[in-house]
């Protein structure tokens, strides 16, 4: 019987337009109406993750930054995990030595040294996902984030740690040279205090080893008194594996990477075809005997 559901966002709950389909919304509400907690589990920062949710009337808890931050339905921060100075130095030095571009995610915003390069990266991500990149929309989104302060443009990242209250929670690295990005990811993953994953081919999501979706989901399940064998998790990429491999109902999207499909026991439709909603309704009606 399913008692808790966790869903990734990009490539999973969201379609290419970064929207939550009516089918997915209705399925989440259906689960909630039957006493099942539905958690968003994403590599996005909260201020990015909440944007598509705010366009609906859904109210959900969040696992953000791959588990570096957890918030309840009222947006209260329940837990955080950040990178200390030595870990930040190790990560950034390695990336600089390999000439790999990166952004810094903190508890207050995202820092970038080059918005133009960000644009090229977002276009590349969309195209690698088999989508047609809407350049104007991406440009407007970047500018909107700069205007509202969630994307901060700096000359360099050297002084971020000196800002009172600023905690570095994730480093997001990009490179079109897939061989190089894979090599660096393997190198950084050798550190026992770092978790290295990916949400798209060509990127690395680097957090503290305590900051993983699977660890955060396990904590939430424990708090709710739910055994992990009664948890469903849905995802499409490498940063979802830590939760898929822990739960009783691991579901891969049709558009998922092969690594995710290998881990998952179940498959559903693609993110473009409301795969999350279809899986939730199918399993709740069959496993939970809900009509």
């Amino acid at each position: 019987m399913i008692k808790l559901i966790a869903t990734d966002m990009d490539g999973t709950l969201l379609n290419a337009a970064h929207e939550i389909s009516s089918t997915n919304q209705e399925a989440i509400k259906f689960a909630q109406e039957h006493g099942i907690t539905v958690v968003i589990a994403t590599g996005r920062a909260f201020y990015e993750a909440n944007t598509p949710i705010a366009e609906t009337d859904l109210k959900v808890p969040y696992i953000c930054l791959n588990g570096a931050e957890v918030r309840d339905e009222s947006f209260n921060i329940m837990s955080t995990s950040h990178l200390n100075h030595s870990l930040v130095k190790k990560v950034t030095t390695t990336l600089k030595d390999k000439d790999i571009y990166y952004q810094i995610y903190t508890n207050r915003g995202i820092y970038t040294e080059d918005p133009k390069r960000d644009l090229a990266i977002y276009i590349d991500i969309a195209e690698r996902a088999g989508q047609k990149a809407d350049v104007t929309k991406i440009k407007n989104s970047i500018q909107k984030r700069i205007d509202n302060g969630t994307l901060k443009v700096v000359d360099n990242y050297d002084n971020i740690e000196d800002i009172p209250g600023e905690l570095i929670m994730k480093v997001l690295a990009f490179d079109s040279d897939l061989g190089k990005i894979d090599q660096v990811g393997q190198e950084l993953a050798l550190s026992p205090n770092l978790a290295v994953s990916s949400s798209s081919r060509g990127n690395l999501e680097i957090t503290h080893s305590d900051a993983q979706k699977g660890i955060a989901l396990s904590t939430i399940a424990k708090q709710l008194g739910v055994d992990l064998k009664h948890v469903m998790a849905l995802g499409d990429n490498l940063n979802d594996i830590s939760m898929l491999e822990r739960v009783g109902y691991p579901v891969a999207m049709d558009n998922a990477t092969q690594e995710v499909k290998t881990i998952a026991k179940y498959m559903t439709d693609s993110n473009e075809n409301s795969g999350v909603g279809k899986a939730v309704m199918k399993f709740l009606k069959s496993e939970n005997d809900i009509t």
Side-chain angles (χ1 to χ4, degrees), residues 22-289:
S22 57
T23 298
N24 286 347
Q25 292 182 50
E26 290 164 7
I28 290 172
K29 291 175 184 177
F30 181 82
Q32 292 172 331
E33 288 166 359
H34 289 86
I36 299 166
T37 299
V38 181
V39 181
I40 297 297
T42 179
R44 293 183 178 213
F46 171 72
Y47 30 85
E48 297 176 303
N50 187 51
T51 299
I53 300 294
E55 296 173 356
T56 72
D57 58 354
L58 296 174
K59 196 171 185 180
V60 293
Y62 295 82
I63 295 171
C64 299
L65 298 167
N66 291 335
E69 181 179 272
V70 177
R71 298 193 183 218
D72 65 16
E73 295 91 337
S74 299
F75 308 155
N76 299 306
I77 296 175
M78 307 306 292
S79 66
T80 61
S81 178
H82 68 279
L83 297 166
N84 62 28
H85 176 73
S86 62
L87 289 175
V88 171
K89 189 71 174 176
K90 177 181 181 62
V91 171
T92 57
T93 297
T94 301
L95 295 175
K96 288 177 182 177
D97 286 347
K98 303 295 184 183
D99 191 30
I100 293 177
Y101 180 73
Y102 61 94
Q103 295 175 328
I104 298 287
Y105 281 62
T106 77
N107 55 322
R108 293 175 174 170
I110 304 169
Y111 287 81
T112 179
E113 292 178 340
D114 190 348
K116 291 182 179 179
R117 194 161 182 181
D118 294 341
L119 173 63
I121 288 165
Y122 294 141
I123 291 172
D124 183 66
I125 289 173
E127 292 176 346
R128 286 185 187 277
Q131 302 164 0
K132 180 175 174 56
D134 188 330
V135 177
T136 300
K137 187 173 182 178
I138 295 173
K139 280 183 178 179
N140 291 339
S141 175
I142 291 173
Q143 189 58 52
K144 182 178 179 180
R145 291 159 67 197
I146 292 173
D147 293 341
N148 66 25
T150 57
L151 182 63
K152 306 170 190 293
V153 183
V154 292
D155 292 332
N156 60 70
Y157 300 131
D158 296 343
N159 299 319
I160 294 175
E161 290 183 282
D162 297 330
I163 303 172
E166 202 90 11
L167 301 174
I168 294 179
M169 305 179 80
K170 184 176 86 168
V171 178
L172 182 60
F174 306 86
D175 204 286
S176 58
D177 185 334
L178 301 183
K180 183 167 71 169
I181 202 82
D182 288 346
Q183 180 182 3
V184 170
Q186 292 167 10
E187 180 180 335
L188 290 173
L190 294 175
S191 171
N193 296 314
L194 292 176
V196 182
S197 61
S198 173
S199 59
S200 175
R201 198 74 178 98
N203 81 15
L204 294 175
E205 301 205 354
I206 307 156
T207 58
H208 191 278
S209 56
D210 292 338
Q212 299 182 56
K213 291 184 181 184
I215 293 174
L217 181 59
S218 297
T219 300
I220 291 173
K222 185 176 181 180
Q223 291 170 343
L224 294 173
V226 174
D227 191 296
L228 286 171
K229 68 183 180 182
H230 297 305
V231 179
M232 171 190 277
L234 305 101
D236 74 304
N237 224 306
L238 301 184
N239 62 337
D240 300 315
I241 288 178
S242 67
M243 63 177 183
L244 293 174
E245 63 188 4
R246 284 172 163 83
V247 303
Y249 297 85
V251 182
M253 307 299 292
D254 184 57
N255 53 284
T257 64
Q258 189 55 51
E259 295 94 331
V260 169
K261 290 180 178 178
T262 299
I263 291 288
K265 292 180 184 177
Y266 308 103
M267 288 281 298
T268 188
D269 211 335
S270 70
N271 64 315
E272 288 299 302
N273 294 317
S274 302
V276 168
K278 291 177 180 178
V280 169
M281 297 303 292
K282 174 184 176 181
F283 279 96
L284 293 191
K285 289 187 174 183
S286 60
E287 301 289 331
N288 290 34
D289 196 26

